[in-house]
Amino acid sequence: MSPPIAPAGWSRWLVPPAALSVHLSIGQAYAWSVFKPPLESALGLSGTQSALPFQLAIVMLGLSAAFGGTLVERNGPRWAMTVALVCFSSGFLISALGAATEQYWLIVLGYGFVGGIGLGIGYISPVSTLIKWFPDRPGMATGIAIMGFGGGALIASPWSARMLESFGTDHSGIALAFLVHGLSYAVFMTLGVLLVRVPRPAERTAGGAGVPAAAAGEGISAAAAVRTPQFWCLWVVLCMNVTAGIGILEKAAPMITDFFADTSTPVSVTAAAGFVALLSAANMAGRIGWSTTSDLIGRKNIYRVYLGVGAAMYAVIALLGDASKPVFVLCALVILSFYGGGFATIPAYLKDLFGTYQVGAIHGRLLTAWSTAGVLGPLIVNWIADRQEEAGKHGADLYSLSLFIMIGLLAVGFVANELVRPVAPRHRVTAPKEAADVPARQQPESA
């Protein structure tokens, strides 16, 4: 499937909505918890078992992004978005069959394995194209798209809950909800497939704004990038930042409840749920806000903020968090905004260091840091809290040690960011002509 060329006069501002249609869809992954209680009740599952599809999906996200990144670069955004559409929607359809027949392994296979491949390919599908359309503002461009992944749950969570209320929470109701998800997301993601375009090589774009399109010229290949210390420094940076953020996100409701359980103003279940919604909003806002700021102050400086100020916010929670709800909530919101901002800024950081040639493939390989952090963050917080509870501690004391560990991890990430230097010129290559000019062999498509 050849990447479609933008016709003369095509507005580059039509490309972010194409990317958003994919990212808002696959962002449903963050709303998996809505299905956990019904699945546990309908199929007799434990909490660990009901989490398995989500955990496998995140693992497959990192693996498919890493191993499929080169294919995404080679075949273009329309091919990648189509693969994401087929895998993600098929994952729901397979899960619907599994729920209807009460075969849980089909739900794990569908949502976790097949759908997880769609997550990974879909996540990286627009990155390289957006950077080429917006060489002047790569942080903003990728932030708009990746914001959708963070905000997808804000749409999917109430939508899924309403469906389960209407269809029922038995196995047939869950199956019908999965079926509607699969078909609806297929339609929505198709909009992105049809709308996406790549810029004409060596031409000026942006509707006369005078911004040159960054064609696939000089840069560093994905194979060469992973052999540089800069790649591994950024791997550590992303892993530490994500570990710190997901540590709060995964256990947000019980954490705020425990922190204020022994105070005169305990937190209700409803208020804890509202806190989780606020964190999701901060996660989404940080993806566009902080990534856009990185275009102004630079990628290295914005990660100094993420990691340095993030460590300070964790210190405030550890030392003063149970003394004031506003302080606790404000610090947590800042940390989650950095969590989202870190995801959205990393593609632009990679572009600055390695160029636009194969930046999508490099980004895919870097996302293995997310897979690692997705296991590491919750493990640290949950395992330590369980051990502290067994030792007779309660309230904020359940989390003190894990909070200080997060500070240490952010400090490691801060040092890794300081070690990032420009990549040696010997690693740079000129993209093969056929890679740079694939679209030039086609006739521009009409709008």
Side-chain angles (χ1 to χ4, degrees):
M1 183 180 293
S2 300
I5 301 265
W10 181 266
S11 173
R12 64 177 180 167
W13 292 102
L14 293 173
V15 181
L20 267 175
S21 72
V22 173
H23 273 243
L24 282 170
S25 298
I26 63 177
Q28 185 279 336
Y30 279 148
W32 173 253
S33 59
V34 174
F35 288 103
K36 281 172 60 67
L39 283 170
E40 291 167 15
S41 175
L43 302 182
L45 305 174
S46 67
T48 301
Q49 289 173 320
S50 67
L52 185 57
F54 172 77
Q55 291 173 317
L56 180 58
I58 295 301
V59 171
M60 292 308 301
L61 186 159
L63 293 177
S64 61
F67 291 104
T70 302
L71 289 174
V72 171
E73 286 290 322
R74 182 182 304 150
N75 296 310
R78 176 167 285 183
W79 175 88
M81 289 181 177
T82 302
V83 171
L85 183 161
V86 171
C87 291
F88 189 66
S89 296
S90 296
F92 271 112
L93 299 182
I94 295 170
S95 297
L97 177 62
T101 59
E102 299 184 68
Q103 298 294 316
Y104 186 60
W105 68 272
L106 281 173
I107 298 177
V108 176
L109 173 67
Y111 190 92
F113 185 79
V114 178
I117 294 173
L119 287 180
I121 300 299
Y123 191 87
I124 64 174
S125 62
V127 169
S128 178
T129 302
L130 284 167
I131 288 175
K132 290 170 184 174
W133 274 110
F134 292 86
D136 54 325
R137 286 180 279 183
M140 179 212 69
T142 55
I144 289 174
I146 293 175
M147 173 185 69
F149 192 85
L154 294 179
I155 298 172
S157 183
W159 182 46
S160 301
R162 183 61 61 88
M163 260 192 277
L164 290 171
E165 288 177 7
S166 300
F167 301 151
T169 56
D170 59 355
H171 69 93
S172 59
I174 297 171
L176 187 54
F178 281 152
L179 177 63
V180 173
H181 274 74
L183 297 177
S184 299
Y185 283 131
V187 172
F188 193 56
M189 294 172 77
T190 298
L191 298 177
V193 172
L194 297 176
L195 191 60
V196 72
R197 298 288 188 277
V198 296
R200 293 182 177 192
E203 289 190 3
R204 302 177 81 80
T205 61
V211 179
E218 187 179 271
I220 298 172
S221 69
V226 298
R227 295 195 295 268
T228 65
Q230 288 85 350
F231 175 88
W232 293 105
C233 283
L234 288 189
W235 194 97
V236 172
V237 166
L238 182 63
C239 186
M240 297 301 100
N241 190 62
V242 174
T243 299
I246 208 168
I248 281 187
L249 186 62
E250 189 271 340
K251 204 173 174 64
M255 181 180 288
I256 193 171
T257 301
D258 290 336
F259 253 80
F260 298 97
D262 299 329
T263 68
S264 58
T265 55
V267 176
S268 66
V269 174
T270 302
F275 175 62
V276 174
L278 280 176
L279 292 183
S280 296
N283 177 12
M284 183 175 66
R287 291 172 187 247
I288 181 62
W290 292 121
S291 60
T292 300
T293 303
S294 76
D295 289 331
L296 303 176
I297 69 174
R299 253 56 80 172
K300 192 166 190 175
N301 285 332
I302 199 67
Y303 272 94
R304 285 170 173 152
V305 174
Y306 296 157
L307 300 161
V309 178
M313 293 297 99
Y314 262 114
V316 172
I317 292 177
L319 299 174
L320 304 173
D322 59 346
S324 170
K325 285 182 185 175
V327 169
F328 179 94
V329 171
L330 178 62
C331 290
L333 291 177
V334 172
I335 291 171
L336 261 295
S337 75
F338 292 161
Y339 169 81
F343 277 123
T345 309
I346 204 69
Y349 208 162
L350 292 171
K351 174 258 183 186
D352 293 347
L353 288 171
F354 301 109
T356 57
Y357 175 51
Q358 294 199 338
V359 67
I362 298 170
H363 183 221
R365 286 160 171 77
L366 195 76
L367 288 181
T368 55
W370 185 2
S371 296
T372 303
V375 174
L376 188 61
L379 180 64
I380 291 172
V381 175
N382 287 288
W383 187 83
I384 291 178
D386 289 344
R387 300 291 82 74
Q388 298 290 64
E389 187 173 14
E390 290 174 1
K393 295 185 179 181
H394 53 84
D397 291 339
L398 295 174
Y399 304 98
S400 297
L401 178 58
S402 59
L403 293 175
F404 284 113
I405 290 175
M406 295 300 179
I407 294 171
L409 294 177
L410 288 172
V412 171
F414 190 94
V415 172
N417 184 52
E418 294 302 307
L419 294 176
V420 174
R421 297 289 186 272
V423 181
R426 69 177 182 275
H427 294 291
R428 295 191 173 273
V429 298
T430 299
K433 182 175 178 56
E434 60 270 21
D437 296 335
V438 164
R441 296 195 292 267
Q442 307 170 43
Q443 293 297 319
E445 295 189 7
S446 58

